[in-house]
């Protein structure tokens, strides 16, 4: 039977007990529901990008169908971006389409359809990875760097913590790749060092600039800080008094969470196996772009680590990690489809024209 009436009645029973007293007291302000605390609402009021994206859809189709249409557009865009990344990496069209299909059928596709920010976060993160591929494989440096910078800027409006994580991860990946190339070149030239890849360093610089800009803008705009997020986690959305010493409890929660998470992965190992296969394909076949892909997927791990609560619905916080198998598995299978190995250039050559640096 249709559970709508039962769910509605249960929702009203739980929430109206909180809503009525606040409405009676004149607490009708804010951009979220009036029964949450102002500190909790401030966390989401600092994320105007997703509501702004929804406005034209809601105006055109109403709330229900507007949200649904926006979800379709966001989910569709994520799959298209996965396809573009794979094609820029010279993956055959059938496998690129398979990567697009993986995006839709794996949990990232399901999450992207929900009326929440994660779908837009995934699409913008994939856009940043595509920008890296444009720089390192297609030789379109200006366009690629602009795509990465634009993605980080848009992420700031949607969820500034994701912009911070992605910027830091891209910077770290670029630094590691540049250092590895420098050491290889130094060994090859028998002790004479050479400059690391300018393209990789440029991407690392854009990522680092995005992270620094995120921190500065968040402070200037008085956005909630990591301390606010930590208290929100430990006080049940500010329904209990603030913790005087929150960090010890936070690290204890980290240990408890990841132990339970690993136990569940051992019982249902699809996610762990998909991550391993994706990482192998990205790092073995994707060259420097694969390194940036792994870095982008790590933002899902960081987001989950910032909220070590096993009960958060739908595993939506870690969903960005699913982008790794979406792109990495088709890369892993590319030699099988071609009937041979992916052509590799001489060591130290730039990632251009489908070659792995």
């Amino acid at each position: 039977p249709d559970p709508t009436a039962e769910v509605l009645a249960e929702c009203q029973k739980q929430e109206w007990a909180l809503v009525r007293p606040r409405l009676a007291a004149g607490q009708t302000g804010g951009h979220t529901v009036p029964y949450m605390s102002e500190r909790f609402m401030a966390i989401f009021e600092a994320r105007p990008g997703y509501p702004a994206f929804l406005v034209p859809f809601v105006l055109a189709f109403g709330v229900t169908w507007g949200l649904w249409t926006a979800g379709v557009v966001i989910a569709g865009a994520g799959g298209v971006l996965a396809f573009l990344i794979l094609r820029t990496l010279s993956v055959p069209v059938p496998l690129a389409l398979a990567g697009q299909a993986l995006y839709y059928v794996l949990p990232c596709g399901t999450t992207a359809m929900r009326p929440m920010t994660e779908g837009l976060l995934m699409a913008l993160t994939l856009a940043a990875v595509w920008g890296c591929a444009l720089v390192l494989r297609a030789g379109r440096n200006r366009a690629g760097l602009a795509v990465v910078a634009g993605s980080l800027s848009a992420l700031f409006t949607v969820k500034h913590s994701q912009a911070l994580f992605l910027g830091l991860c891209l910077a770290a990946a670029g630094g590691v790749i540049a250092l590895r190339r420098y050491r290889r070149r130094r060994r090859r030239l028998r002790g004479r060092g050479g400059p690391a890849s300018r393209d990789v360093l440029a991407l690392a610089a854009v990522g680092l600039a995005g992270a620094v800009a995120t921190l500065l803008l968040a402070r200037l705009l008085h956005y909630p800080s990591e301390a606010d997020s930590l208290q929100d986690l430990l006080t049940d959305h500010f329904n209990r008094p603030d913790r005087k010493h929150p960090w010890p409890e936070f690290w204890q929660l980290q240990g408890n969470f990841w132990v339970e998470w690993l136990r569940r992965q051992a019982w249902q190992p699809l996610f762990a196996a998909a991550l391993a296969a994706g990482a192998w394909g990205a790092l073995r076949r994707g060259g420097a772009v694969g390194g940036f892909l792994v870095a982008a997927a790590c933002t899902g791990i960081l987001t989950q680590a910032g909220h070590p609560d096993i009960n958060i619905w739908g595993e939506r916080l870690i969903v960005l990690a699913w982008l790794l198998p979406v792109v990495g598995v088709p890369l892993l299978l590319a030699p099988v489809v071609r009937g041979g190995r992916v052509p590799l250039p001489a060591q130290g050559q730039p990632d251009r024209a489908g070659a792995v640096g």
Side-chain angles (χ1 to χ4, degrees):
D2 186 357
T4 301
E6 181 181 353
V7 171
L8 180 60
E10 183 66 21
C11 180
Q12 290 177 334
K13 179 181 178 181
Q14 291 180 359
E15 307 301 346
W16 271 113
L18 299 173
V19 173
R20 285 195 180 96
R22 292 182 180 271
L23 291 179
Q27 298 179 9
T28 59
H31 300 285
T32 59
V33 288
Y35 53 84
M36 302 305 297
S37 69
E38 292 183 0
R39 293 174 67 188
F40 181 78
M41 289 193 292
I43 294 175
F44 293 93
E45 289 169 3
R47 304 173 184 178
Y50 180 66
F53 177 83
L54 294 177
V55 167
F57 296 96
V58 174
L59 289 176
F61 304 106
V63 174
T64 301
W65 287 106
L67 289 174
W68 180 85
T69 305
V72 171
V73 171
I74 291 172
V80 170
L81 285 165
F83 175 86
L84 291 174
I85 293 170
L86 290 166
R87 288 299 296 146
T88 307
L89 294 174
S90 300
V91 172
V93 172
L95 274 181
L97 290 172
Q100 183 175 357
L102 280 176
Y103 183 85
Y104 296 143
V105 302
L106 289 176
C108 46
T110 303
T111 304
M113 275 296 301
R114 293 171 181 161
M116 306 178 79
T117 59
E118 279 73 26
L120 199 52
L121 293 180
M122 286 187 287
L124 291 172
T125 302
L126 283 171
V129 176
W130 184 42
C132 295
L134 289 175
V135 171
L136 297 173
R137 290 296 183 92
R140 299 172 60 183
N141 290 34
R142 291 184 179 180
L145 292 174
V147 169
V148 176
S151 300
L152 290 172
S153 300
L155 278 171
F156 179 84
T157 68
V158 179
K159 189 177 182 182
H160 65 279
S161 61
Q162 175 64 15
L164 175 63
F165 290 156
L166 183 59
L168 290 175
C169 287
L170 293 180
V176 170
I177 294 169
L179 179 61
R180 185 180 180 187
R181 288 183 171 184
Y182 176 83
R183 288 181 174 177
R184 284 182 175 179
R185 188 176 294 109
R186 186 175 181 180
R187 287 198 301 267
R188 189 168 56 255
L189 297 177
R190 297 181 179 179
R192 291 184 298 161
S197 170
R198 293 180 179 178
D199 296 340
V200 171
L201 290 178
L203 289 169
V206 171
L208 182 60
V212 173
T214 296
L215 290 173
L216 292 177
L217 284 174
R219 294 295 184 265
L220 289 173
L221 296 173
H222 303 290
Y223 279 3
S225 66
E226 65 280 357
D228 296 298
S229 179
L230 182 58
Q231 292 292 350
D232 170 58
L233 172 71
L234 299 179
T235 62
D236 188 24
H237 306 310
F238 306 109
N239 288 318
R240 295 193 293 266
D242 282 7
R243 299 291 200 272
K244 292 183 179 180
H245 305 288
W247 288 106
E249 185 176 353
F250 175 75
W251 293 118
Q252 181 181 2
L253 287 176
Q254 286 285 346
N256 295 341
F257 173 86
W258 291 111
V259 168
E260 174 62 16
W261 187 85
L262 290 172
R263 185 191 70 81
R264 296 189 182 191
Q265 296 308 308
W267 183 254
Q268 296 178 330
L270 173 62
F271 185 33
L275 287 181
W280 178 254
L283 298 176
R284 185 71 178 89
R285 305 296 180 187
V289 181
F292 284 106
L293 171 65
V294 172
C298 283
T299 61
I301 306 296
L302 291 175
T303 302
Q304 183 67 79
H307 303 77
D309 184 353
I310 204 70
N311 296 315
I312 292 179
W313 176 67
E315 297 184 347
R316 58 184 178 84
L317 296 180
I318 204 172
V319 72
L320 284 152
W322 280 103
L323 301 181
L324 186 55
V326 165
V327 180
V329 169
L331 282 171
L332 187 63
L333 298 176
V336 178
V337 174
R338 289 193 179 101
R341 294 180 59 84
V342 177
L344 301 177
Q347 289 293 336
Q349 293 296 317
D351 280 8
R352 298 283 173 82
V356 179

